[in-house]
Amino acid sequence: MDIDKQQYNDMSAHPPLSPRPRPIPIDPESLELRSTGRRPHTRHSFTSDSDYQLPAPNLLSQSDSINSARSRPSVAGPTRLSTVSRPSLPMNMLPSAPASPPTPAPSPTPFSRQPSWKDAAEDEDGFTRLARAHFGHQTDAQRQRFLAELLNMCDNSQLSFVAHFVAPRLKKDPFEHLPDELCLRVLMFIDEPRSLARASQVSQRWHKLVNDDMLWKEMCKKYAYRRRASGEPDTSPRANQSHPYSFTSRNKRPLEGAPLGPSSSAPNLALSLSEPPSPVQKNKKRMQSQSHYMHFRHKYLIEAAWRKGGHCKPHFITPDQGVVTSLHLTDRYIVVAMDNAKIHVFNTVGEHQKTLKGHVMGVWAMVPWDDILVSGGCDRDVRVWNMATGRSVHVLRGHTSTVRCLKMSDSKTAISGSRDTTLRIWDLESGLCKNVLVGHQASVRCLAIYGDTVVSGSYDTTARIWSISEGKCLKTLSGHFSQIYAIAFDGTRIATGSLDTSVRIWDPNTGLCIAVLQGHTSLVGQLQMRGNTLVTGGSDGSVRVWSLVTNQAKHRLAAHDNSVTSLQFDDNRIVSGGSDGRVKIWDVHTGQPIRELCQPAEAVWRVAFEEEKAVIMASRNNRTVMEASHMCNVVLQAMLTCF
């Protein structure tokens, strides 16, 4: 349609339109249009009292075409007209309607959805061009009145379209105007990495900011995903602790897990300079050169795999039933000792490498250090092995009864405890006994080492503190009423677990008992101490987490239906195995269960884990099985060659 010059001048000279909302006039032709979809021959004006008419296509049919392009089905049908006098009641406010759940905020979208012109009429383009020219010549006040009249004629669906069309245009991206430093400061207040991942998809500017390495360095600090540069010493408070589960110290001492004592994993990162680095060490060097983002991603995905994921691969050890007496993980080997006098050596992925044969009776204690393995058992001998070649280096004789526990203070010195009530200090290079420590009146059941000091627990209800270099007893710790089965020592505190159901904390300098922790109802055979946290497991099936600051129980876990046979924890989780055949993971901070690590078995002998893998020794179908669970999902395997 065309607009003549006279009509345009009349429209410009007309007095201003009132922006007050007024009821929309209902025209029979409008009803006919909505019901039949046919275009009427008459024209509609903006207001009923106007003395001019603006030739234009029917506004109702135009809005109908827009609405049909957005969401309405193509079948024409009657549509309810919106009136000002009867506002519609929202559906969620009806008496019979249930309460609506909270709707999450939509993700930011840079562009609004444009209306479709596929089904536009032939004259719409010309009218739109003329209306745009008319709108361009108006003042700001005239434009507002013009828009107000248009909006007063819109129904709810059309107003909703206008709102969605206008809202993105009113938004401003603050990161487009703020300097990088302020933008990064804002992003550092986000604690959830998934929120940062979503934010990186908003725009190229956001993607560049989120990928800044300083931002992920702060995230590593928040999540305690600390890494050290090559050659940097560990200055953490636990750097010099000699407990069997420390994975941060480079000169760590691998400790043995006795059958009723704590299962232990003792990775040793100090390798001989004459030997090529292992694939695991190559992976660690590669991790040191990665950005903080890659480091955080690696750690975060491993934590996610511990909660949900991981790949478990079973390996049959023996064709018949055999009791696993000791289990150790190192950076090169998985070492398993059996009561059938055999020691099995596997690589880090669980592939069998060799079987060490030499003992004539069950092996009840062992400790690895690099390629060296020291073992002892019921044949009263202490044997030194080279795990790389599988050969026996030395046979150390001197004990007159079963060797029950073993520890190493360095690569050349081993300490053994026996049922003959003595401790012996061995020189592994010469194969000679350096000292015999005499003082206990019954079997020596457990050992713990820190620096030049070794602490022994005995069935005579006492614990003794010995100097390794001097070969003499420094203190005797008396207080338990029954046999001592487990012991832990971190240099400042000694913890002992006994058959009298109590756990005692001792001062190694004075030999006095600091606290008595009570709560277990049976033998306390599992102990691990890490910083100010002590975790104990008993034959009553319970696991307890203690604070060594307050000497009070933080969490009481009903872990198993039978004895706790294996226990280990780190900064994030507790892994416990029991005689009920289950292996469970718990949150060390909240005490809440996370999941079961494997399918229930007949019995679980030992459990040991590192950051990226866990090894379970269990009995299934009367066969001894080793199950290696690798916490490397598909994403991690593509990112890092862990094994």
Side-chain angles (χ1 to χ4, degrees):
M1 296 183 182
D2 297 327
I3 301 178
D4 56 16
K5 185 175 181 181
Q6 182 62 32
Q7 287 177 327
Y8 186 83
N9 294 334
D10 293 342
M11 187 170 56
S12 302
H14 192 273
L17 298 176
S18 171
R20 296 193 304 272
R22 57 175 58 88
I24 300 176
I26 301 178
D27 194 337
E29 293 184 0
S30 301
L31 297 177
E32 179 185 0
L33 173 64
R34 287 186 173 270
S35 60
T36 62
R38 295 194 301 269
R39 182 187 304 275
H41 297 287
T42 59
R43 300 172 181 173
H44 294 281
S45 61
F46 285 101
T47 61
S48 58
D49 57 348
S50 300
D51 59 353
Y52 68 90
Q53 290 182 348
L54 178 65
N58 192 284
L59 296 177
L60 294 175
S61 64
Q62 182 178 356
S63 63
D64 287 346
S65 65
I66 295 175
N67 292 333
S68 63
R70 294 180 69 239
S71 61
R72 209 174 64 186
S74 59
V75 179
T79 305
R80 179 182 176 182
L81 293 176
S82 175
T83 61
V84 179
S85 59
R86 292 186 61 187
S88 59
L89 188 64
M91 292 299 295
N92 60 353
M93 297 299 292
L94 295 177
S96 60
S100 300
T103 303
S107 300
T109 53
F111 304 105
S112 59
R113 183 164 55 183
Q114 301 292 333
S116 175
W117 286 84
K118 292 181 180 179
D119 55 351
E122 296 180 358
D123 56 348
E124 284 190 36
D125 183 59
F127 171 76
T128 304
R129 184 167 55 253
L130 292 174
R132 186 186 300 113
H134 168 70
F135 189 80
H137 288 84
Q138 289 184 324
T139 64
D140 192 41
Q142 290 174 336
R143 290 183 178 185
Q144 292 181 6
R145 291 190 291 269
F146 184 81
L147 293 175
E149 293 299 329
L150 288 178
L151 294 177
N152 287 337
M153 298 179 62
C154 295
D155 58 17
N156 287 343
S157 62
Q158 294 161 356
L159 291 174
S160 176
F161 166 76
V162 172
H164 285 85
F165 189 83
V166 172
R169 298 172 181 267
L170 298 178
K171 295 179 180 178
K172 285 188 176 293
D173 185 356
F175 289 171
E176 291 292 340
H177 307 280
L178 295 176
D180 291 352
E181 293 78 8
L182 288 179
C183 296
L184 292 175
R185 180 63 177 172
V186 172
L187 291 174
M188 285 179 184
F189 286 96
I190 300 177
D191 296 330
E192 176 55 53
R194 288 177 294 183
S195 299
L196 290 176
R198 295 189 188 101
S200 67
Q201 301 174 358
V202 173
S203 64
Q204 292 183 355
R205 168 68 172 168
W206 286 47
H207 182 77
K208 178 182 177 181
L209 291 170
V210 171
N211 283 346
D212 191 278
D213 201 49
M214 287 300 298
L215 176 62
W216 293 101
K217 183 178 180 180
E218 292 297 321
M219 290 294 291
C220 289
K221 292 180 180 179
K222 291 179 182 179
Y223 281 75
Y225 294 161
R226 183 180 182 272
R227 66 175 185 175
R228 299 195 308 272
S230 179
E232 178 188 347
D234 190 356
T235 58
S236 61
R238 296 185 295 271
N240 297 321
Q241 293 180 9
S242 304
H243 51 75
Y245 312 105
S246 173
F247 305 123
T248 56
S249 175
R250 292 192 59 85
N251 297 321
K252 51 176 61 63
R253 178 171 37 266
L255 302 182
E256 177 263 350
L260 290 178
S263 65
S264 59
S265 166
N268 184 12
L269 307 184
L271 296 179
S272 173
L273 297 178
S274 61
E275 298 180 2
S278 66
V280 175
Q281 289 184 315
K282 291 180 181 179
N283 171 64
K284 291 178 180 178
K285 290 182 179 179
R286 183 163 59 253
M287 283 294 298
Q288 291 176 351
S289 62
Q290 289 176 347
S291 65
H292 288 91
Y293 165 74
M294 295 298 293
H295 176 70
F296 181 91
R297 182 170 180 254
H298 174 74
K299 297 284 189 181
Y300 185 83
L301 291 176
I302 288 177
E303 289 299 320
W306 273 102
R307 294 183 174 274
K308 294 180 181 179
H311 175 68
C312 183
K313 186 177 181 180
H315 303 272
F316 291 98
I317 305 297
T318 60
D320 54 359
Q321 183 74 17
V323 177
V324 177
T325 58
S326 186
L327 169 65
H328 286 278
L329 306 184
T330 73
D331 59 345
R332 293 186 180 184
Y333 307 106
I334 301 173
V335 191
V336 180
M338 309 282 295
D339 67 342
N340 59 7
K342 296 179 181 179
I343 301 174
H344 300 280
V345 181
F346 302 83
N347 62 12
T348 55
V349 296
E351 298 173 348
H352 188 269
Q353 300 296 300
K354 53 184 67 70
T355 300
L356 308 181
K357 298 180 180 180
H359 287 285
V360 296
M361 299 180 71
V363 180
W364 288 91
M366 70 174 182
V367 55
W369 190 291
D370 291 346
D371 285 332
I372 299 299
L373 178 71
V374 182
S375 62
C378 296
D379 57 5
R380 300 172 293 180
D381 293 339
V382 175
R383 287 182 175 264
V384 183
W385 308 84
N386 186 324
M387 289 188 288
T389 62
R391 296 179 53 189
S392 176
V393 179
H394 296 293
V395 180
L396 312 179
R397 293 188 169 94
H399 284 295
T400 59
S401 187
T402 300
V403 177
R404 206 62 184 83
C405 46
L406 275 168
K407 290 291 178 287
M408 292 180 66
S409 59
D410 54 50
S411 60
K412 301 178 182 179
T413 306
I415 299 96
S416 60
S418 171
R419 285 180 177 168
D420 62 9
T421 73
T422 66
L423 286 77
R424 287 179 177 262
I425 302 175
W426 306 91
D427 186 336
L428 301 183
E429 288 188 331
S430 63
L432 300 177
C433 179
K434 297 167 63 175
N435 277 306
V436 180
L437 308 181
V438 180
H440 284 295
Q441 305 300 314
S443 173
V444 179
R445 182 61 180 77
C446 48
L447 295 174
I449 291 179
Y450 187 90
D452 188 51
T453 304
V454 58
V455 183
S456 60
S458 172
Y459 284 174
D460 63 4
T461 73
T462 67
R464 288 178 177 262
I465 305 175
W466 311 82
S467 171
I468 298 175
S469 58
E470 298 177 5
K472 66 178 183 179
C473 180
L474 302 178
K475 293 286 187 304
T476 300
L477 313 179
S478 301
H480 281 292
F481 302 102
S482 191
Q483 296 97 318
I484 295 176
Y485 276 82
I487 197 165
F489 180 35
D490 64 358
T492 59
R493 287 173 292 234
I494 299 172
T496 55
S498 171
L499 184 60
D500 62 12
T501 74
S502 69
V503 176
R504 288 180 177 261
I505 310 299
W506 311 83
D507 186 337
N509 298 317
T510 62
L512 299 178
C513 180
I514 302 174
V516 179
L517 311 181
Q518 294 180 332
H520 287 284
T521 60
S522 187
L523 162 70
V524 181
Q526 309 294 323
L527 281 180
Q528 185 191 338
M529 190 159 46
R530 189 180 181 92
N532 290 322
T533 302
L534 174 70
V535 179
T536 60
S539 296
D540 56 4
S542 68
V543 173
R544 292 177 179 258
V545 182
W546 308 85
S547 170
L548 295 179
V549 177
T550 62
N551 293 320
Q552 298 293 325
K554 296 167 60 178
H555 308 298
R556 301 170 179 85
L557 315 178
H560 299 277
D561 297 332
N562 210 325
S563 299
V564 179
T565 59
S566 191
L567 181 67
Q568 182 180 339
F569 83 100
D570 60 11
D571 291 334
N572 300 310
R573 67 192 63 86
I574 303 170
V575 179
S576 63
S579 297
D580 58 359
R582 297 179 180 273
V583 178
K584 299 182 180 181
I585 306 177
W586 312 81
D587 190 308
V588 71
H589 303 292
T590 64
Q592 296 298 316
I594 297 176
R595 67 164 174 145
E596 291 196 25
L597 192 56
C598 66
Q599 294 297 322
E602 296 169 3
V604 175
W605 304 116
R606 286 287 173 273
V607 179
F609 74 87
E610 290 183 335
E611 181 185 23
E612 297 179 8
K613 67 173 177 285
V615 178
I616 302 168
M617 304 302 303
S619 174
R620 296 186 185 274
N621 300 323
N622 294 323
R623 299 178 67 181
T624 302
V625 181
M626 180 181 74
E627 297 181 354
S629 297
H630 300 286
M631 303 305 163
C632 289
N633 52 23
V634 177
V635 178
L636 281 175
Q637 289 178 354
M639 183 174 64
L640 296 170
T641 306
C642 295
F643 305 106

